[in-house]
């Protein structure tokens, strides 16, 4: 009888631990999204400066746990694409905002966030002027196709 009661308490403890961890992750995700949205408040001149874009990328880099976030909350000025296996994510920022002024052209910067050997790494995509909207895992060797 004592063993059965002890097992119930252990089960209850484990269940409550998982529930509270999920709530903490949701709160962290909400805080993360709110901070990005605050940093990307629409500028008066309608153009995001390199300094603003750098600060957003630096914030993402300082928060490697964001690779785990599901992004259920809206991020209106960031295009976020995640691979099916969850090991790669792309954050694309368009200098003139999505649905910005078409006469200014198109200028985009993208930061890749990826997991390898248990660590999270970052790489800004160079010489590519497009939004990454899909990331496909090609095979089990972790080859990815980035698509705009």
């Amino acid at each position: 009888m004592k063993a059965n009661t002890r097992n119930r308490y252990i089960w209850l403890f484990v269940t409550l631990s998982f529930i509270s961890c999920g709530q903490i992750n949701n709160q962290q995700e909400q805080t993360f999204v709110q901070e990005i949205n605050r940093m990307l408040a629409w500028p008066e001149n309608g153009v995001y400066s390199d300094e603003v874009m750098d600060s957003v990328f630096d914030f993402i880099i300082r928060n490697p746990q964001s690779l785990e976030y599901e992004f259920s909350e809206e991020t209106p000025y960031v295009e976020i694409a995640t691979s099916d296996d969850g090991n790669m994510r792309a954050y694309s920022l368009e200098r003139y905002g999505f649905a910005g002024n078409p006469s200014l052209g198109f200028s985009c910067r993208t930061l890749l966030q990826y997991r390898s050997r248990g660590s999270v790494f970052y790489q800004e995509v160079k010489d590519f002027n497009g939004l990454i909207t899909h990331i496909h895992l090609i095979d089990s060797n972790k080859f990815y196709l980035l698509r705009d």
Side-chain angles (χ1 to χ4, degrees), residues 58-72:
D58 288 342
F59 178 71
I60 293 167
I61 290 168
R62 287 192 316 272
N63 290 277
Q65 74 278 6
S66 62
L67 187 56
E68 303 299 325
Y69 297 162
E70 295 180 15
F71 290 102
S72 53

Side-chain angles (χ1 to χ4, degrees), residues 18-51:
F18 279 119
I19 291 170
S20 66
C21 284
Q23 290 172 345
I24 290 169
N25 284 341
N26 287 342
Q27 290 170 343
Q28 289 174 339
E29 178 181 337
Q30 286 178 333
T31 302
F32 180 84
V33 169
Q34 288 168 356
E35 182 61 17
I36 284 182
N37 288 341
R38 185 197 63 75
M39 292 166 52
L40 291 173
W42 191 245
E44 278 187 37
N45 66 355
V47 178
Y48 290 120
S49 67
D50 280 325
E51 291 80 19

Side-chain angles (χ1 to χ4, degrees), residues 105-116:
F106 181 82
S107 177
C108 182
R109 287 178 59 189
T110 297
L111 180 71
L112 292 179
Q113 178 185 46
Y114 59 95
R115 183 183 353 264
S116 178

Side-chain angles (χ1 to χ4, degrees), residues 132-147:
I132 296 175
T133 59
H134 296 86
I135 302 173
H136 301 285
L137 178 64
I138 301 298
D139 64 22
S140 61
N141 290 323
K142 304 292 184 198
F143 289 107
Y144 292 91
L145 170 68
L146 309 177
R147 193 179 79 178

Side-chain angles (χ1 to χ4, degrees), residues 64-118:
Q65 74 278 6
S66 62
L67 187 56
E68 303 299 325
Y69 297 162
E70 295 180 15
F71 290 102
S72 53
E73 196 170 325
E74 187 174 330
T75 53
Y77 299 114
V78 182
E79 179 71 35
I80 300 172
T82 307
S83 64
D84 291 336
D85 66 357
N87 286 321
M88 181 175 281
R89 177 167 285 151
Y91 299 87
S92 296
L93 304 176
E94 209 279 310
R95 187 172 307 281
Y96 308 110
F98 305 115
N101 186 343
S103 66
L104 296 175
F106 181 82
S107 177
C108 182
R109 287 178 59 189
T110 297
L111 180 71
L112 292 179
Q113 178 185 46
Y114 59 95
R115 183 183 353 264
S116 178
R117 297 183 183 117

